Amino acid sequence: MKRTENYSHLAPLYDKLMEDVDYESWADYIDEIIQEHYPEAETILELACGTGSVAISLDELGYYSILASDLSPQMIEVGISKALKANADVRFTTLDFMNIDLDESFDVIFSVFDSVNYLQSDEEILKMLSECGKVLNLGGLLIFDFSTPLNSMEAVDYLNNEEAEVEDLRFFRTSEYDPQQKIHTNTFEIERLTQDKKQVIDRFQEVHQQQIYTLEEMLSILKQTPYHLVAKYGDFDLIDADENSARITIVLQCQKHP
């Protein structure tokens, strides 16, 4: 079995994997946060956009100019195809949020579905935040969410032993959470099938490892940055997050450039 880059062979399966996610509600939530804290915002950069579902839903609102980015060129390829079918004006680009090299700046940068949890240390999070500061307008918002230990403990059982099939591809996922190290690992075994789906042509493996952070840990990291903490919201509502929040959305304001 071949070990491959994350979200390479998984890209064509990603929308099947995420079919239970309500992306329109997620986009509405991001819009609600923007309208609450920076209603004059016009330009948006999405980091780790996946196949672009949130960006395309935000575009439907009609008042944002959106650039959606992801490290995986395979995910971006799927996103471009989806945007064309939806007649969306979203632009797409391949981008590493640990090395943001763009010739434009934005009123809002956001990243959802715990992409920040892929960063394995305080230093990596600080690096990402610094990179965002290079292209975030003064007064602009940086919005990201992260998964907490509670979320992993609640999710690990239903994520484990998941399987699905799309055209000539199928995947099987195992999910494990180490509460001592606070590491959540999702391993995907991906098979490419013959046209009649009776034989396996090739097998691939992707191992996705996330570092899970508590609210206290994340706030400690943020204190080391020049950003102003505007809000910390819990579980898709404009209510203050606490230690019982499974997923926390952080809203930061850029007050000075790094």
Side-chain angles (χ1 to χ4, degrees), residues 6-55:
N6 286 352
Y7 297 112
S8 55
H9 288 87
L10 193 61
L13 294 160
Y14 186 75
D15 287 338
K16 181 67 176 179
L17 177 71
M18 305 288 280
E19 64 182 352
D20 293 332
V21 176
D22 188 345
Y23 284 111
E24 289 191 2
S25 293
W26 213 320
D28 288 342
Y29 181 52
I30 295 298
D31 177 57
E32 184 180 14
I33 292 172
I34 296 171
Q35 295 307 311
E36 176 73 17
H37 298 291
Y38 194 15
E40 61 269 37
E42 296 179 354
T43 55
I44 295 179
L45 169 65
E46 182 179 6
L47 303 175
C49 71
T51 60
S53 295
V54 174

Side-chain angles (χ1 to χ4, degrees), residues 8-257:
S8 55
H9 288 87
L10 193 61
L13 294 160
Y14 186 75
D15 287 338
K16 181 67 176 179
L17 177 71
M18 305 288 280
E19 64 182 352
D20 293 332
V21 176
D22 188 345
Y23 284 111
E24 289 191 2
S25 293
W26 213 320
D28 288 342
Y29 181 52
I30 295 298
D31 177 57
E32 184 180 14
I33 292 172
I34 296 171
Q35 295 307 311
E36 176 73 17
H37 298 291
Y38 194 15
E40 61 269 37
E42 296 179 354
T43 55
I44 295 179
L45 169 65
E46 182 179 6
L47 303 175
C49 71
T51 60
S53 295
V54 174
I56 291 169
S57 293
L58 271 175
D59 179 71
E60 293 174 359
L61 298 174
Y63 42 79
Y64 295 125
S65 172
I66 304 168
L67 176 62
S69 68
D70 198 277
L71 181 61
S72 166
Q74 294 88 352
M75 297 284 265
I76 290 297
E77 184 178 347
V78 176
I80 291 171
S81 177
K82 286 169 60 176
L84 286 172
K85 291 178 181 177
N87 197 29
D89 289 331
V90 178
R91 294 179 294 136
F92 287 87
T93 189
T94 303
L95 181 71
D96 182 355
F97 63 35
M98 298 294 282
N99 182 24
I100 299 176
D101 184 17
L102 295 171
D103 293 326
E104 55 188 304
S105 60
F106 304 87
D107 297 325
V108 175
I109 300 174
F110 79 91
S111 183
V112 295
F113 212 78
D114 50 67
S115 297
V116 167
N117 288 99
Y118 278 91
L119 302 177
Q120 303 291 307
S121 66
D122 297 10
E123 290 74 22
E124 288 188 347
I125 293 177
L126 290 170
K127 172 66 173 172
M128 181 274 291
L129 295 174
S130 176
E131 288 295 304
C132 289
K134 296 191 314 186
V135 294
L136 186 59
N137 293 329
L138 287 176
L141 301 180
L142 172 55
I143 304 166
F144 68 89
D145 66 21
F146 66 96
S147 178
T148 69
L150 177 62
N151 191 52
S152 282
M153 288 185 287
E154 290 178 346
V156 67
D157 287 339
Y158 74 77
L159 293 177
N160 195 37
N161 296 324
E162 181 184 20
E163 56 184 307
E165 189 174 295
V166 176
E167 297 179 352
D168 65 339
L169 292 171
R170 68 183 175 202
F171 75 84
F172 179 80
R173 164 161 63 180
T174 56
S175 188
E176 300 174 305
Y177 177 59
D178 181 341
Q180 277 70 48
Q181 299 296 320
K182 295 203 290 291
I183 293 175
H184 197 137
T185 304
N186 289 296
T187 301
F188 294 91
E189 311 287 352
I190 303 165
E191 297 178 336
R192 187 176 300 280
L193 309 173
T194 55
Q195 191 170 6
D196 60 10
K197 301 183 181 181
K198 292 182 179 180
Q199 291 183 308
V200 176
I201 300 173
D202 214 343
R203 289 184 173 90
F204 310 93
Q205 183 186 73
E206 293 186 15
V207 180
H208 297 241
Q209 191 172 80
Q210 293 185 320
Q211 184 68 46
I212 307 303
Y213 297 92
T214 65
L215 175 59
E216 183 180 7
E217 288 169 338
M218 187 60 70
L219 292 179
S220 177
I221 295 170
L222 296 178
K223 286 179 181 178
Q224 303 174 55
T225 76
Y227 290 97
H228 167 63
L229 177 63
V230 175
K232 53 185 192 304
Y233 293 132
D235 302 327
F236 302 102
D237 207 344
L238 299 190
I239 57 173
D240 196 44
D242 58 30
E243 66 276 3
N244 296 313
S245 301
R247 182 182 300 277
I248 296 172
T249 299
I250 295 292
V251 185
L252 304 175
Q253 185 182 48
C254 178
Q255 296 189 322
K256 64 179 181 178
H257 289 131

